Each structure stands twice: as C-alpha cells, then as structure tokens.
Amino acid sequence: MAKRRVSRVSEPNSFSCTTFNILAPIYKRLIHEDHACRESDIRAYWFHRNQRILDLLLREESSSIICLQEYWVGNEELVNMYDTRLGDAGYINFKLARTNNRGDGLLTAVHKDYFRVLDHRNFLFNDFGDRVAQLLHVQVIGLSQQILIVNTHLLFPHDSSMCLERLRQVYKILQSLEAYHKENNLTPLPIILCGDWNGSKRGHIYKFLRSQGFVSSYDTAHHYTDADAHKWVSHRNHRGNICGVDFIWLLNPNKCRKVLKTSWSDAVFGLFKYHVRRASLTEEDAFAFLKADNDGDGITYSGFCEALRQLNFIGHPNGLSKEETKDLWDQADIDGNGIVDYTEFQIWNPTRWDQAVTEEDIGYRVKHAVLYPREAEKGLWPDDYSLSDHARLTVVFSPTRLP
C-alpha cells in the first residue's frame, strides 16, 4: 500500500490530533435476520465498518496523532488490520487492553514524520470499571519541543453513584502525570488529553480539568464559553440521548493552576453540594445535616463522615478511602481546630495556586477544530451516520510563544 501523506496543515511545525471512540463490535447491537445480536458475531459487518473507519482516518489530510477508544484488542484479525494500515501509512502504534479481559481498549498512533517517541507508559486504574490510560512522551521532529499525550476512556455514568469514581479516574491520570514529571526531572511540558470522557461540559469532570488549567480545544477554536454546552454534540448513547463527551484538552506549561490535591478536594465538595441541591436542601439545611447530632455550633469529623456515608460517598469499596476522607476534612477545617463552623462551611474553596515554572517559551494554540459528521457541530445527530455512536474530533495545533 502506498504511504499516505500527513499534512502539516499549511503552517510549519503545526500538527493535528484526532480522538475517536470507534464502538467496539462486541458492544454494537444489531438485529440480524430478526434476531438480536452483536456486530462481533457477523464478521462481514465489523470488518467492513472498520475498513471504513480506517479510510476516514487515513484520508489525505490525516492526523499526526490518532487516539482511539473501544478498540477491539481481543480480535487478532482486527488488530492486524489496524497495525497494517496504520503502519503502512507511517504511524507507530501503541495498544492497551482494559483490565480483566474486557475485550476492548485503547490505540494511540503517532506519525513518525512528526514525532519521536521518547517514552510511553500504561496506567491501569484497577477499578470496577477496568479503565486504563496511555501516556506518550514525544519530541517534535526538527524541534527540541516535547509534549505529553494521554489517551483514555472514562467510566459511563450509569447512575449518580459513578460520579465519584469518574472524578477519581481523572485524579489518577493527573497524579500519574505529576509523578512522571518528577521521576524524569522534567520542566512543565504541554499536555494533550484525548478521549471519551463520558461527561459533558455541565459535569464535574469538565470543571475539575478546567480548574487545572486545561482548555477544551474544540470550544477554544469556536470561541465557545463554558456555558455553551448545547452548541455541539459528539455522542448518541444507548439511551438515545445526544451530548458532547469527546474532548481534546490542552494545557500549556505557563498556566497558573490550583494545587492538584486542592482541585481534587474542590471537585468532591462540588459533587457533595450537587447531591445536597438534589435533595432540595438550602445552605443552612445542609450545614444542619452535616452537624448531625452535634449540639455545638459546628460540624465534627464524625458528623462529616456520617453525612458522607448517607450520601453514599463512603462505606462501600468504591467510595472515598479513609485517607481521602481525612484529606477532605483537613481542607474543610481551615483553622485546624477540629470543628468546621458556618464560615468555613461557606468557603470550602481554598485559593492556593501553583505557578508553573518553565524554561520553555513555546506552547501551542488551537488553530482549528472539526467534528465529523459535521451535523454534530450544530448539536444534531444524523440518522444515516453508521461508523460509530461517536463523532470523530480533530484539532490542529500550532506553536506559539508563551507570554
């Protein structure tokens, strides 16, 4: 097969990045000859669809980074198909299966004309969703600039009890990135987070990443604000709902952002407040709820734990650990006297920030971003789209001098 050209998108040293959940055949439901089945049962169907997916990915203006989710790692023929076609097109491929033999996983491919791979790591969350993430540390060909690329697929929020675990998955990724920086004595580098986040701009994951300085590349390209969640979609789920859940996040190394542990605590407190609002409690009622049976003027640690237990934050294997609960309490108890009074309860948002220190003066700006099918950019989902239940998102980045 002739090698396909990867476009530099008309500007020197710019590159493009694609994220795409390609819907593993083991999950795609079909009605075949009046019987319900999975696409994995019918080779002709999944083979043809994945050839079409590769045709889309390897068009003339193909991306220099491709991040796929729900990649069917459990099928040798499909794996060989992707290895062969991507390899022939000049890509270096990295695959990672979900834990406990779930059958699907992640594929990250980088084009060797653009990047030299310095290192790669696999992150296994070892949670009840068997989720994983990939990290690639790359250097831009012809430049000294290095970039960290992450590909992941978060747990689907089947109900509100999944929200905490999803936050923890993002926290684990960010902790792993911090540890990787320290382990390799790296100055802060640009970070690109790709994947199916299974949550929209209205959710706690979005707010958590924003608090860490990340920006949504698609929203940046289209000048959308955090309130514009309805402007675009990227997924029609098994319930028939459409929403925007696929993101390519960018963090430049000059960003001033909250201490990670503080951001995590704030995100959990935000989730707590969300549950309180769902229960139609006012702020005063919430404070009384947390006080429990304490006759004093504040919340005790035992009352705090009891409230978390009632809201299903603790007391089960996937809840907050004792260490996480104590960390939350230490942040809430600002003066450290063992009691959270009403003033401390109202704050619950410390403003400690880290200023990234870097010798690098080059970062990246979002030049362009597009969804396919294009109807998704208008918040619509075409009935005749059959490649996946997700849209493909592609973003073009170009280098820029940081202020």
Side-chain angles (χ1 to χ4, degrees):
M1 180 180 296
K3 179 178 172 181
R4 294 178 180 267
R5 180 175 64 86
V6 179
S7 171
R8 283 200 179 272
V9 206
S10 77
E11 187 172 326
N13 300 319
S14 64
F15 63 87
S16 54
C17 179
T18 288
T19 187
F20 194 11
N21 181 323
I22 58 175
L23 181 55
I26 52 176
Y27 303 134
K28 183 173 174 59
R29 297 176 175 90
L30 297 175
I31 300 295
H32 180 67
E33 297 179 353
D34 297 326
H35 295 288
C37 64
R38 298 297 172 111
E39 187 189 49
S40 54
D41 298 326
I42 308 173
R43 178 187 178 277
Y45 285 14
W46 64 255
F47 187 91
H48 177 63
R49 182 171 68 89
N50 279 275
Q51 288 285 15
R52 289 169 54 220
I53 288 171
L54 282 162
D55 290 342
L56 176 67
L57 293 172
L58 296 176
R59 285 177 178 172
E60 185 70 11
E61 300 296 328
S62 54
S63 284
S64 27
I65 304 168
I66 296 174
C67 295
L68 304 181
Q69 304 86 42
E70 290 198 23
Y71 173 66
W72 193 15
V73 294
N75 184 279
E76 185 177 356
E77 184 177 8
L78 183 137
V79 168
N80 289 337
M81 177 199 303
Y82 277 81
D83 279 348
T84 299
R85 291 195 60 183
L86 289 173
D88 287 347
Y91 289 89
I92 306 169
N93 305 327
F94 298 87
K95 301 177 284 291
L96 177 61
R98 288 169 63 191
T99 49
N100 288 322
N101 297 313
R102 287 296 190 112
D104 69 309
L106 306 172
L107 170 66
T108 303
V110 295
H111 202 281
K112 60 186 178 183
D113 287 351
Y114 278 75
F115 302 107
R116 181 166 69 93
V117 178
L118 304 177
D119 196 4
H120 74 279
R121 300 288 176 88
N122 295 329
F123 302 145
L124 309 181
F125 298 161
N126 293 313
D127 55 17
F128 67 90
D130 295 312
R131 299 296 173 169
V132 296
Q134 294 174 292
L135 166 66
L136 267 66
H137 180 187
V138 301
Q139 181 176 359
V140 181
I141 296 295
L143 296 176
S144 61
Q145 178 69 58
Q146 298 177 22
I147 304 170
L148 298 180
I149 304 164
V150 173
N151 182 17
T152 195
H153 181 191
L154 297 190
L155 183 69
F156 183 84
H158 293 282
D159 56 60
S160 60
S161 68
M162 305 289 186
C163 293
L164 179 61
E165 188 60 34
R166 287 162 33 74
L167 275 176
R168 185 184 282 115
Q169 289 171 351
V170 178
Y171 187 39
K172 287 179 179 178
I173 290 172
L174 299 182
Q175 283 181 313
S176 297
L177 285 168
E178 278 197 350
Y180 184 81
H181 270 93
K182 292 176 181 177
E183 176 187 339
N184 293 278
N185 296 315
L186 299 174
T187 57
L189 299 175
I191 300 172
I192 296 173
L193 302 181
C194 302
D196 174 4
W197 301 84
N198 263 323
S200 75
K201 291 175 63 174
R202 298 184 178 93
H204 300 282
I205 301 296
Y206 183 89
K207 295 172 185 175
F208 184 22
L209 286 168
R210 293 286 285 124
S211 76
Q212 280 292 291
F214 287 90
V215 297
S216 163
S217 298
Y218 184 82
D219 292 293
T220 299
H222 293 269
H223 308 288
Y224 291 154
T225 68
D226 289 350
D228 292 327
H230 61 289
K231 295 287 184 69
W232 60 275
V233 297
S234 67
H235 178 41
R236 181 167 64 183
N237 66 26
H238 59 282
R239 298 168 180 165
N241 302 322
I242 57 173
C243 50
V245 302
D246 300 273
F247 290 88
I248 297 177
W249 294 93
L250 171 66
L251 177 67
N252 273 316
N254 67 332
K255 279 289 186 178
C256 184
R257 58 188 186 274
K258 281 187 178 181
V259 176
L260 177 56
K261 198 170 188 178
T262 300
S263 270
W264 156 252
S265 298
D266 288 350
V268 177
F269 280 134
L271 185 58
F272 171 84
K273 291 178 180 179
Y274 167 76
H275 283 282
V276 166
R277 286 195 298 270
R278 285 188 65 189
S280 300
L281 295 178
T282 65
E283 192 168 78
E284 291 81 4
D285 290 338
F287 183 71
F289 170 65
L290 283 161
K291 279 180 60 180
D293 296 329
N294 180 33
D295 294 330
D297 295 326
I299 303 164
T300 63
Y301 182 63
S302 61
F304 178 70
C305 291
E306 176 57 22
L308 291 178
R309 187 191 65 77
Q310 291 189 38
L311 291 173
N312 205 34
F313 278 65
I314 61 174
H316 56 90
N318 302 309
L320 293 170
S321 67
K322 290 182 179 179
E323 180 182 359
E324 289 171 334
T325 304
K326 186 61 167 59
D327 285 342
L328 283 177
W329 173 256
D330 289 342
Q331 181 170 318
D333 183 15
I334 297 171
D335 60 14
N337 68 348
I339 297 290
V340 173
D341 59 30
Y342 190 64
T343 301
E344 289 173 314
F345 169 73
Q346 287 178 307
I347 297 174
W348 268 14
N349 284 302
T351 55
R352 291 164 47 219
W353 297 76
D354 265 348
Q355 174 64 53
V357 179
T358 176
E359 297 175 0
E360 300 282 348
D361 59 355
I362 299 295
Y364 287 90
R365 66 181 178 88
V366 179
K367 183 180 178 184
H368 182 62
V370 63
L371 286 162
Y372 178 87
R374 297 301 294 269
E375 290 90 342
E377 298 192 322
K378 301 175 182 178
L380 304 173
W381 196 262
D383 289 333
D384 60 351
Y385 175 67
S386 59
L387 283 185
S388 176
D389 56 355
H390 285 257
R392 182 203 63 180
L393 169 60
T394 298
V395 176
V396 177
F397 297 100
S398 58
T400 185
R401 290 200 173 273
L402 299 175

